[in-house]
């Protein structure tokens, strides 16, 4: 299995928005995105990379068809 890329929250946000997610709301340092009954939460801490499990979830959400 290939290694997952290292993503920051800004990069993950850009990928989600380009794939049709909309920013629903934010609470504290977490931003909640929504698309077709699917909700996605990203912890938004500046200049920190996301945990590999979150990166994997982002890539799976982006790759799903609408």
């Amino acid at each position: 299995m290939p290694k997952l890329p290292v993503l920051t929250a800004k990069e993950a946000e850009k990928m989600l928005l380009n794939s049709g997610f909309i920013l629903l709301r934010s609470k504290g340092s977490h931003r909640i995105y929504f698309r077709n009954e699917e909700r996605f939460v990203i912890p938004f801490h500046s200049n920190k990379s996301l945990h590999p499990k979150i990166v994997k979830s982002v890539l799976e959400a982006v790759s799903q068809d609408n």
Side-chain angles (χ1 to χ4, degrees), residues 16 19-22 33-40 60-66:
L16 288 173
S19 69
F21 281 85
I22 59 169
Y33 301 90
F34 186 77
R35 177 185 74 180
N36 299 334
E37 304 295 324
E38 182 180 6
R39 186 182 63 143
F40 201 87
E60 288 174 354
V62 168
S63 67
Q64 292 178 355
D65 292 334
N66 292 340

Side-chain angles (χ1 to χ4, degrees), residues 7 11 14-15 19-20 24 37 42 48-49 61-62 64-65:
L7 292 178
E11 294 168 337
K14 186 175 181 180
M15 291 174 69
S19 69
L24 187 61
E37 304 295 324
I42 293 183
K48 289 192 177 182
S49 59
V62 168
Q64 292 178 355
D65 292 334

Side-chain angles (χ1 to χ4, degrees), residues 1-25:
M1 179 164 186
K3 288 182 85 172
L4 293 172
V6 177
L7 292 178
T8 63
K10 286 184 181 184
E11 294 168 337
E13 178 184 42
K14 186 175 181 180
M15 291 174 69
L16 288 173
L17 292 175
N18 287 339
S19 69
F21 281 85
I22 59 169
L23 178 61
L24 187 61
R25 64 187 172 96

